[in-house]
Amino acid sequence: MRKYDLRRIGLLLLLCVTMFGNANSQTTKQPVALKHGAHRVGKRTDADMAKWRSYGLGQFIHWGLYSILEGKYNGKYYNGAAEWIRSWKEVPHAEYDSLYKQFNPENFNPTQWAKMAKQMGVKYVTFTTKHHDGFCLWPSQYTQYTVANSPYKKDIVKQVVDAYTKEGIDVYLYFSVMDWSHPDWRTDLKTKEDSVAFDRFKLFTKNQLTELLKMYPQTKGLWFDGTWDTSWKKSGAFSDSLEQHLKSLIPGLIIGSRLRADEFGNRHNDANGVLMGDYEQGWERKIPKTYADVHGNDWDCVMTIPENGWGYAEKWLGHWKTSYECIEMTTQCVSLGGNFVLNFGPKADGTFRPEEITVAKEMGDWMKVNNAAIYDCEYANCEKQDWGYFTKKQNDDKIYMVVFNVPINGSLKVKLPKNTSIGKASLLQAPSTVLSTEQLDYNASYIQLPKGMKPTSPFVIVIDTKQQSQVETEQKAKT
Ligand code: H79
């Protein structure tokens, strides 16, 4: 019996225990024996994944031919996301597919990009190597539709990978499986011809991904997209073997839950409800409300600064987020055990719009002072309060309160986990300022802000916790 089969049997047994071990469970369904389901129950425990978990903040970059059109065509503005403009009926495909002849980002300065990201405080970047239009920002040998055939000619992916790696920022490659430029790509497999064509497409996909990992061995992970079509959902065996192949090329490689489908076409979670992939990749432009919503998984939230739209658009219609909103989202994600990844859509010439430069700068300024509450932090298991968010240092007992709304009386309610109490509360920015506390019951307290403190930006309180003995807790609980 192969090691792989043994692993599956182990997984099934684990599922049985999980599902039948709980006598109160209402949904005691028989686990389904799967050939292409999850390979693991629970989180990865290795060092690469531990590093991913400690990032807190990441950057996403969407850059491609759509950046040239800037969300408009013939003077009319497109209502959808700028990177989807090729699918707008106004845009002739042949014209869009010729845009590569104009791709020449003369002001592209990868070192400047990486330095801006570094100043912002991001620990990883996810970069679009190929979006849905199929245009490759690296010189792929498997298609002519690449940057090598543009006037710019040079390899963009290599420059991004090298510049960010040099700044100590981990690089993840975004890759859209859906490829509008490829004649063999299908949304469904209805005929024999479809299946034959899609088999060629699968080989093309595998070749391109193998090529990427061989050309850029510093890659820490892959961020898949465009995997929702029926054709891909019918290709569970392939995506399973593809994932294993990619992981064999770079040990420790991190791949989210958007790549695979099981043999029944279930995505993200397999037929037994177990996550397929190293983290839950379903939080696109939304953040879970409670810790229960993340089902014990690692996860990331990818977010746009405008309401929608990832590629560059001349006009941002509607609201766009301020740096404080982005800082709050970062904190909220970390407080629920996830990473927050903020998107940037550079212009076709390779420069960033001023609004994005401002957000990056202001977030970085805040992170410089307050990053102790973001990096290496996790869910703190404290009851959520209206003033903001709790985070907890991994492998440490320190709890952080990131305060966004100060109550008029300056009293911040804190409810720590069972058997834990406040040893000392102080301001992160002024550690010698010890804050007074008033105990409400055995694990709830008020922390009082210094009189006259009028914060002008979100700030952090550090709680050094102490463990109460069980006896002490029980005695207090009785009174
Ligand atoms: O790259 C950015 C987006 O362009 C891409 N993901 C982020 C990171 C993205 N595009 N669309 N979506 C995500 C959401 C998917 C929408 C869909 Fe549909 C709705 C897929 C299937 C139904 C509309 C109808 C689009 C395809 C069919």
Side-chain angles (χ1 to χ4, degrees):
M1 193 181 288
R2 288 183 311 150
K3 196 167 137 210
Y4 196 56
D5 295 327
L6 282 172
R7 229 175 38 200
R8 285 193 198 299
I9 290 168
L11 201 72
L12 261 176
L13 283 174
L14 237 164
L15 271 168
C16 290
V17 172
T18 319
M19 292 178 156
F20 300 116
N22 180 359
N24 299 323
S25 175
Q26 309 252 317
T27 52
T28 44
K29 275 198 300 191
Q30 282 275 357
V32 182
L34 290 170
K35 270 198 188 139
H36 303 294
H39 295 167
R40 184 189 64 249
V41 176
K43 294 178 180 181
R44 255 172 71 170
T45 54
D46 56 286
D48 292 298
M49 202 65 205
K51 190 173 185 208
W52 186 94
R53 208 170 281 135
S54 74
Y55 293 145
L57 180 62
Q59 181 187 38
F60 213 146
I61 294 183
H62 276 71
W63 201 33
L65 298 182
Y66 39 82
S67 317
I68 297 173
L69 290 187
E70 305 187 336
K72 61 183 195 285
Y73 183 72
N74 271 346
K76 278 201 207 163
Y77 288 92
Y78 174 50
N79 241 341
E83 73 282 1
W84 274 76
I85 197 165
R86 186 186 185 275
S87 65
W88 189 20
K89 60 178 182 337
E90 306 269 341
V91 179
H93 287 175
E95 203 172 316
Y96 185 97
D97 297 343
S98 298
L99 285 173
Y100 74 94
K101 295 179 187 158
Q102 297 173 43
F103 188 74
N104 196 9
E106 48 211 16
N107 298 319
F108 173 48
N109 183 335
T111 307
Q112 245 174 35
W113 282 26
K115 286 197 185 303
M116 178 175 106
K118 179 85 175 175
Q119 193 280 335
M120 178 180 163
V122 305
K123 293 286 189 186
Y124 69 127
V125 64
T126 304
F127 184 69
T128 48
T129 58
K130 172 176 103 165
H131 203 264
H132 309 333
D133 62 14
F135 181 68
C136 301
L137 287 175
W138 82 101
S140 175
Q141 60 167 294
Y142 299 101
T143 171
Q144 293 297 304
Y145 198 39
T146 83
V147 70
N149 292 317
S150 74
Y152 184 72
K153 290 196 174 62
K154 285 176 280 182
D155 182 347
I156 298 269
V157 174
K158 176 172 172 40
Q159 295 180 69
V160 168
V161 171
D162 288 349
Y164 277 75
T165 303
K166 198 167 164 208
E167 290 297 330
I169 298 172
D170 283 351
V171 179
Y172 291 69
L173 304 181
Y174 168 105
F175 184 92
S176 171
V177 169
M178 177 170 79
D179 184 332
W180 296 331
S181 76
H182 200 289
D184 292 329
W185 173 67
R186 296 287 183 278
T187 53
D188 199 355
L189 310 176
K190 290 197 173 126
T191 63
K192 179 90 178 72
E193 188 279 330
D194 285 338
S195 297
V196 171
F198 205 64
D199 279 346
R200 286 193 297 263
F201 181 75
K202 287 188 284 196
L203 180 61
F204 165 72
T205 301
K206 181 179 175 184
N207 284 339
Q208 283 207 317
L209 287 161
T210 305
E211 182 182 50
L212 277 170
L213 295 189
K214 291 204 164 148
M215 286 176 77
Y216 317 109
Q218 307 98 314
T219 303
K220 301 286 186 237
L222 294 163
W223 205 98
F224 284 100
D225 204 0
T227 50
W228 48 71
D229 282 306
T230 308
S231 51
W232 193 251
K233 289 199 267 184
K234 287 179 178 170
S235 307
F238 174 74
S239 58
D240 189 359
S241 71
L242 177 65
E243 186 184 66
Q244 291 177 59
H245 165 68
L246 297 171
K247 288 190 169 188
S248 76
L249 296 177
I250 297 186
L253 194 75
I254 294 172
I255 297 178
S257 63
R258 249 189 230 195
L259 171 62
R260 291 177 48 201
D262 73 7
E263 56 262 53
F264 298 106
N266 295 293
R267 296 177 61 234
H268 296 282
N269 293 310
D270 68 16
N272 294 312
V274 184
L275 190 76
M276 292 176 287
D278 299 323
Y279 63 95
E280 152 82 90
Q281 215 187 332
W283 300 100
E284 180 162 320
R285 290 195 300 118
K286 57 180 192 249
I287 300 178
K289 288 215 159 42
T290 69
Y291 192 60
D293 294 337
V294 308
H295 305 291
N297 293 320
D298 283 314
W299 59 278
D300 74 353
C301 162
V302 292
M303 185 61 74
T304 52
I305 298 177
E307 279 169 4
N308 190 15
W310 303 76
Y312 181 77
E314 184 204 284
K315 284 193 190 172
W316 275 353
L317 305 168
H319 174 74
W320 64 85
K321 296 171 191 68
T322 63
S323 53
Y324 283 154
E325 284 176 273
C326 298
I327 289 164
E328 179 157 359
M329 288 178 164
T330 307
T331 311
Q332 189 178 356
C333 288
V334 172
S335 80
L336 296 172
N339 289 326
F340 181 72
V341 184
L342 189 64
N343 182 66
F344 290 73
K347 295 180 204 171
D349 75 349
T351 61
F352 289 94
R353 68 194 308 143
E355 297 90 336
E356 289 183 349
I357 293 174
T358 302
V359 167
K361 167 81 174 64
E362 292 178 358
M363 285 185 83
D365 290 347
W366 188 87
M367 287 291 287
K368 217 159 261 127
V369 179
N370 300 291
N371 68 55
I374 302 294
Y375 300 147
D376 307 310
C377 286
E378 62 184 4
Y379 172 65
N381 194 21
C382 301
E383 192 179 272
K384 168 90 179 74
Q385 304 293 333
D386 289 340
W387 44 255
Y389 307 88
F390 289 105
T391 66
K392 180 188 163 293
K393 203 47 109 192
Q394 292 168 13
N395 315 316
D396 190 343
D397 293 333
K398 269 195 179 30
I399 287 179
Y400 299 94
M401 299 163 58
V402 189
V403 183
F404 289 85
N405 310 297
V406 177
I408 286 172
N409 64 5
S411 301
L412 307 175
K413 192 169 179 187
V414 172
K415 217 164 176 190
L416 296 180
K418 226 176 163 187
N419 302 332
T420 307
S421 64
I422 299 175
K424 188 180 91 178
S426 56
L427 293 173
L428 178 68
Q429 290 185 52
S432 56
T433 311
V434 176
L435 305 177
S436 64
T437 59
E438 182 193 348
Q439 192 149 356
L440 301 175
D441 61 40
Y442 75 96
N443 71 341
S445 304
Y446 274 133
I447 292 182
Q448 188 62 39
L449 292 178
K451 283 224 158 32
M453 181 174 164
K454 293 218 163 17
T456 52
S457 69
F459 64 96
V460 177
I461 295 172
V462 188
I463 302 179
D464 293 305
T465 56
K466 64 177 183 204
Q467 298 302 310
Q468 289 171 311
S469 75
Q470 189 63 38
V471 179
E472 197 185 335
T473 305
E474 282 167 3
Q475 275 171 354
K476 282 196 175 147
K478 277 185 206 141
T479 56

